């Protein structure tokens, strides 16, 4: 055993005065409780949904921090006078349950005959302390039961007169169990303890997993006592010396070290009383000294709070990076669809649409033949000569309208498809984007099935808008010969053609078939409305079409945006977490002994 078994795990000696700069029970009053509750709320608001580097580890950190606040820190601050909770944990096969039974003096927990043992944790306490372990107290998520069970989500409460009032002993699962649920529960229980009675054996004391837990205990100043169990007489000196050096080198030099010699187990599963007498006496002395108990509680509680505040800042940085990653993904989608919009607008303005079916139907309407051939060499012909050459009929105007509708729809679909491919390709450059695409369960890399119907509706509505523009513009010209000659439909078609070659006004050799067609449309409109009115009409029609194209592409991009919005990330979360952590630090500092 240790040189001084009565030492209290690195705390001030029982009854001694608080050390300057150390926390006291007064440090954990109403101000601290309020600050901790706010920190809990701030942590609950943190979302880390994207698969960024380190995100998995940060999620684990977040879950552990929330659990520790809920399972231990906040309940303990509200019940500082509650019994000292001693959690007995350690390696598989170290003899934890046998030790607990031996300390209590009768069987209260069933040792595992097979490994791994899946069972519920057992908490043994004095009958007078039953009020402290209700469901609203420590470990509130575990169901309280008064009978043996194998449910790991249940906490079996056992009353025993042999446990001193003011002390409770909790038998936890193996920290190195091959069953994930057992390991997680063991970590949760240890994080909820005021004092760890960490059990290992001569055969397992150097194992890595137990030392990982002990390292955490040292980092957050958790009160720890070590039990070297099942130790053969001839190995006691060698093993205990080596283990003591390991403890000292890892920041646990003040932790008591108890050695339990190997011995016979009774039919009730107990070691000889003398084998555990030192541990029982040490625990009894803590239970009997309220100041010593509270010193241990404050040491562990304050260490947990300091560690929590320190861990919040990397977590806040991780939350900030999540927001930035979403912004980058949003920008990638924006860029892909804006490129698609610009491609459509360029094709609408450079004469691309005035080819194929649209051009053929337009030529039918204006009776192109000799007229266009002449225009190619002499665009400057008088407006009236062009107007007089047009042979268009109402049904021919309707054919142009249908061709325009079809051409526009195909143009929109083509570039929306390309935009979807670009956006998906950009997202696939990052693991977070790949995960989002996979979770979407839809073909984001393709234009939506709804787009064709939406494009058809939008183009028709735009054509109706153009028709209304011409009708409104011709209010005082409806009786003129020129207006009557072409009608609202014919003039509307001419306006659409002008819109689709917005760089109209080409002359001489620069005028191709499409350019010449646009010039004819322009001259027809000018013959009725005048030059300035035509320019105004064309600009209004072009802008109206651009608005509709942007709406269509925005609806397509919304599939990507909806995925990002569904993550529920708030840009203010990280700073709220930092502020909450600073409030806890301020409350702690204000309560230190001066």
């Amino acid at each position: 055993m240790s040189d001084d078994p009565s030492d209290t795990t690195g705390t001030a000696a029982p009854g001694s005065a608080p050390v300057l700069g150390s926390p006291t029970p007064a440090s954990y009053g109403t101000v601290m409780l309020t600050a901790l509750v706010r920190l809990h709320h701030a942590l609950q608001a943190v979302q880390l949904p994207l698969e960024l580097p380190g995100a998995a580890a940060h999620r684990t950190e977040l879950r552990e921090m929330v659990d520790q606040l809920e399972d231990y820190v906040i309940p303990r601050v509200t019940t500082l006078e509650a019994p000292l909770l001693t959690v007995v944990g350690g390696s598989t096969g170290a003899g934890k349950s046998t030790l607990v039974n031996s300390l209590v003096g009768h069987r209260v927990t069933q040792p595992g005959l097979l490994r791994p043992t899946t069972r519920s944790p057992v908490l043994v306490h004095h009958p007078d302390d039953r009020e402290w372990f209700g469901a609203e107290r420590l470990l509130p998520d575990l169901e309280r039961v008064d009978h043996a069970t194998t449910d790991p989500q249940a906490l079996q409460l056992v009353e025993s007169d042999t446990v001193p009032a003011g002390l409770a002993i909790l038998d936890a699962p193996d920290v190195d169990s091959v069953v994930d649920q057992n390991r997680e529960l063991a970590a949760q229980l240890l994080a909820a303890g005021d004092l760890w009675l960490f059990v290992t054996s001569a055969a397992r004391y150097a194992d890595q997993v137990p030392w990982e837990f002990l390292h955490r205990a040292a980092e957050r100043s958790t009160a720890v006592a070590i039990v070297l169990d099942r130790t053969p007489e001839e190995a006691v000196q060698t093993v205990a010396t080596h283990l003591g050096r390991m403890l000292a080198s890892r920041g646990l030099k003040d932790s008591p070290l108890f050695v339990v010699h190997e011995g016979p187990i009774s039919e009730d599963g107990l070691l000889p009383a003398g084998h555990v007498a030192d541990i029982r006496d040490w625990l009894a002395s803590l239970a009997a000294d309220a100041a010593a108990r509270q010193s241990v509680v404050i040491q562990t509680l304050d260490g947990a709070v300091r560690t929590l505040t320190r861990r919040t800042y990397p977590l806040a940085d991780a939350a900030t990076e999540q927001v930035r990653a979403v912004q980058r993904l949003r920008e990638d989608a924006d860029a892909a669809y804006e490129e698609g919009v610009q491609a459509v607008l360029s094709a609408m303005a450079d004469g691309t649409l005035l080819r194929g079916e649209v051009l053929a139907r337009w030529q039918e309407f204006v009776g192109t033949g000799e007229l266009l051939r002449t225009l190619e060499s002499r665009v400057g012909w008088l407006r009236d000569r062009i107007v007089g050459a047009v042979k268009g009929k109402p049904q021919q105007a309707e054919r142009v309208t249908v061709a325009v509708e079809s051409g526009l729809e195909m143009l929109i679909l083509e570039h929306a498809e390309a935009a979807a491919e670009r956006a998906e390709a950009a997202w696939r450059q990052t693991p977070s984007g790949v995960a989002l695409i996979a979770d979407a369960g839809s073909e984001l890399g393709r234009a939506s099935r709804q787009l064709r119907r939406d494009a058809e509706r939008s183009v028709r509505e735009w054509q109706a808008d153009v028709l209304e523009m011409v009708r409104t513009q011709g209010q005082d010209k409806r009786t003129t010969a020129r207006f009557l000659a072409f009608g609202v439909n014919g003039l509307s078609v001419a306006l659409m053609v002008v819109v689709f070659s917005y760089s109209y006004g080409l002359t001489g050799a620069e005028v191709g078939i499409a350019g010449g067609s646009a010039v004819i449309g322009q001259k027809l409109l000018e013959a009725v409305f005048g030059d300035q009115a035509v320019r105004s009409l064309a600009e209004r029609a072009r802008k109206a079409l651009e608005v509709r194209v942007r709406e269509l592409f925005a609806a397509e991009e919304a599939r990507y945006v909806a995925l990002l919005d569904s993550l529920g990330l708030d840009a203010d979360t990280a700073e709220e977490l930092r502020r909450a952590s600073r409030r806890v630090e301020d409350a702690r500092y204000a309560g230190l002994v001066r």
Side-chain angles (χ1 to χ4, degrees):
M1 68 185 71
S2 64
D3 294 334
D4 183 11
S6 65
D7 185 24
T8 55
T9 319
T11 66
S16 63
V19 179
L20 185 67
S22 65
T24 67
S27 307
Y28 286 87
T30 303
V31 174
M32 175 62 84
L33 178 60
T34 301
L36 289 168
V37 169
R38 288 178 177 174
L39 177 61
H40 178 250
H41 290 163
L43 285 167
Q44 286 184 313
V46 173
Q47 301 291 326
L48 305 171
L50 295 179
E51 296 302 328
L52 301 178
H58 286 306
R59 291 186 199 110
T60 300
E61 286 269 306
L62 177 59
R63 184 172 62 252
E64 289 176 353
M65 292 168 70
V66 171
D67 286 347
Q68 186 160 46
L69 280 166
E70 293 176 348
D71 293 344
Y72 177 65
V73 173
I74 292 176
R76 177 46 98 180
V77 170
T78 61
T79 56
L80 288 176
E81 66 276 25
L84 181 73
L85 180 60
T86 303
V87 180
V88 181
S91 309
T92 301
K96 298 184 299 300
S97 297
T98 299
L99 177 64
V100 171
N101 291 332
S102 301
L103 289 171
V104 175
H106 57 90
R107 187 189 297 276
V108 291
T109 180
Q110 181 64 43
L113 301 178
L114 299 175
R115 302 293 174 191
T117 304
T118 302
R119 56 179 175 76
S120 68
V122 178
L123 190 150
V124 191
H125 62 86
H126 191 277
D128 292 345
D129 290 335
R130 68 169 62 93
E131 65 175 297
W132 296 110
F133 300 106
E136 73 281 4
R137 303 290 187 180
L138 302 180
L139 300 164
D141 289 341
L142 296 181
E143 179 188 2
R144 270 49 173 178
V145 298
D146 58 3
H147 56 272
T149 177
T150 59
D151 182 2
Q153 295 304 311
L155 177 62
Q156 182 184 347
L157 299 179
V158 178
E159 297 182 2
S160 176
D161 290 325
T162 58
V163 175
L167 176 74
I169 301 174
L170 177 62
D171 183 19
D174 304 328
V175 297
D176 55 358
S177 172
V178 297
V179 177
D180 290 344
Q181 190 175 35
N182 281 5
R183 291 198 309 274
E184 292 170 0
L185 180 59
Q188 180 184 9
L189 297 176
L190 285 167
D194 299 310
L195 169 65
W196 291 11
L197 201 59
F198 207 83
V199 185
T200 188
S201 66
R204 305 293 302 275
Y205 75 92
D207 288 357
Q208 179 181 356
V209 173
W211 280 104
E212 290 175 355
F213 276 86
L214 290 172
H215 176 68
R216 294 180 205 170
E219 279 190 327
R220 60 188 181 219
S221 302
T222 301
V224 180
I226 310 297
V227 178
L228 182 58
D229 199 11
R230 297 182 175 178
T231 311
E233 186 69 35
E234 64 275 11
V236 168
Q237 186 63 39
T238 301
V239 174
T241 299
H242 187 215
L243 178 55
R245 289 173 180 167
M246 292 179 71
L247 290 169
S249 67
R250 289 164 171 79
L252 294 167
K253 64 182 180 63
D254 294 326
S255 297
L257 172 58
F258 298 97
V259 177
V260 177
H261 294 268
E262 200 169 38
I265 306 295
S266 72
E267 292 182 358
D268 291 333
L270 308 180
L271 289 165
H275 282 53
V276 297
D278 290 331
I279 304 173
R280 184 190 295 118
D281 291 346
W282 181 70
L283 292 174
S285 68
L286 278 177
D289 190 329
R293 280 202 321 271
Q294 195 158 76
S295 179
V296 172
V297 169
I298 293 299
Q299 174 192 335
T300 299
L301 177 59
D302 190 63
V305 170
R306 283 189 293 105
T307 303
L308 281 168
T309 56
R310 186 178 68 247
R311 294 167 76 186
T312 55
Y313 293 101
L315 199 58
D317 292 341
T320 297
E321 186 52 39
Q322 291 270 328
V323 172
R324 289 173 179 167
V326 165
Q327 183 60 30
R328 288 192 293 269
L329 290 171
R330 194 182 302 273
E331 289 170 356
D332 287 340
D334 286 344
Y337 279 92
E338 179 60 25
E339 184 177 340
V341 169
Q342 292 303 324
V344 172
L345 297 180
S346 295
M348 291 186 330
D350 64 8
T352 297
L353 271 171
L354 298 183
R355 292 175 174 84
E357 185 70 13
V358 175
L359 180 60
R361 300 290 79 81
W362 172 248
Q363 288 175 339
E364 288 178 0
F365 178 70
V366 298
T368 54
E370 184 176 348
L371 174 62
L372 275 181
R373 286 194 295 274
T374 304
L375 278 173
E376 288 171 15
S377 59
R378 297 183 63 190
V379 160
W381 269 20
L382 294 175
R383 181 185 307 159
D384 290 346
R385 181 64 184 271
I386 296 175
V387 171
V390 173
K391 308 296 184 183
K393 297 179 181 178
Q395 63 271 28
Q396 291 171 327
E398 179 61 26
R399 289 173 191 156
V400 181
T401 301
V402 172
V404 166
E405 179 184 332
S406 177
L408 264 177
E409 289 172 14
M410 293 305 298
L411 184 67
I412 291 168
L413 290 172
E414 174 188 348
H415 289 291
E417 192 81 17
E421 292 174 0
R422 284 192 299 272
E424 184 187 46
W427 279 27
R428 288 194 180 279
Q429 299 302 308
T430 63
S432 54
V434 170
L436 281 174
I437 290 171
D439 293 342
S442 60
E443 296 183 354
L444 285 178
R446 302 290 306 276
S448 71
R449 297 180 181 180
Q450 180 66 27
L451 179 60
R452 183 176 295 275
R453 292 187 291 272
D454 290 344
E456 179 181 346
R457 171 190 50 77
S458 188
V459 170
R460 287 182 176 176
E461 289 177 353
W462 175 72
Q463 289 177 325
D465 290 344
V466 171
L467 193 71
E468 185 58 30
M469 288 180 197
V470 171
R471 180 180 289 112
T472 302
Q473 188 68 33
Q475 286 285 357
D476 58 348
K477 301 180 183 294
R478 290 187 180 181
T479 59
T480 66
R482 289 171 179 171
F483 190 94
L484 294 174
F486 308 112
V488 174
N489 289 342
L491 294 171
S492 298
V493 165
L495 182 54
M496 293 177 204
V497 169
V498 170
V499 169
F500 298 145
S501 184
Y502 198 60
S503 53
Y504 59 84
L506 300 178
T507 60
E510 295 175 321
V511 180
I513 297 298
S517 300
V519 170
I520 293 175
Q522 179 185 347
K523 298 305 179 183
L524 287 177
L525 292 168
E526 289 177 355
V528 178
F529 300 120
D531 178 73
Q532 187 56 42
V534 172
R535 292 180 180 276
S536 176
L537 282 171
E539 178 65 12
R540 287 167 52 201
R542 185 192 64 80
K543 287 183 176 179
L545 183 54
E546 178 178 345
V547 168
R548 292 187 178 277
V549 168
R550 289 191 177 279
E551 288 174 349
L552 290 170
F553 275 71
E556 288 294 288
E557 184 186 354
R559 298 176 301 157
Y560 286 88
V561 174
L563 282 178
L564 299 177
D565 290 345
S566 70
L567 299 176
L569 294 181
D570 185 341
D572 296 330
T573 297
E575 188 53 37
E576 285 294 332
L577 180 57
R578 295 185 185 100
R579 279 197 292 267
S581 183
R582 287 193 291 268
R583 280 195 289 265
V584 173
E585 291 172 334
D586 291 344
R588 179 179 175 276
Y589 180 78
L592 296 179
V593 175
R594 304 260 188 246

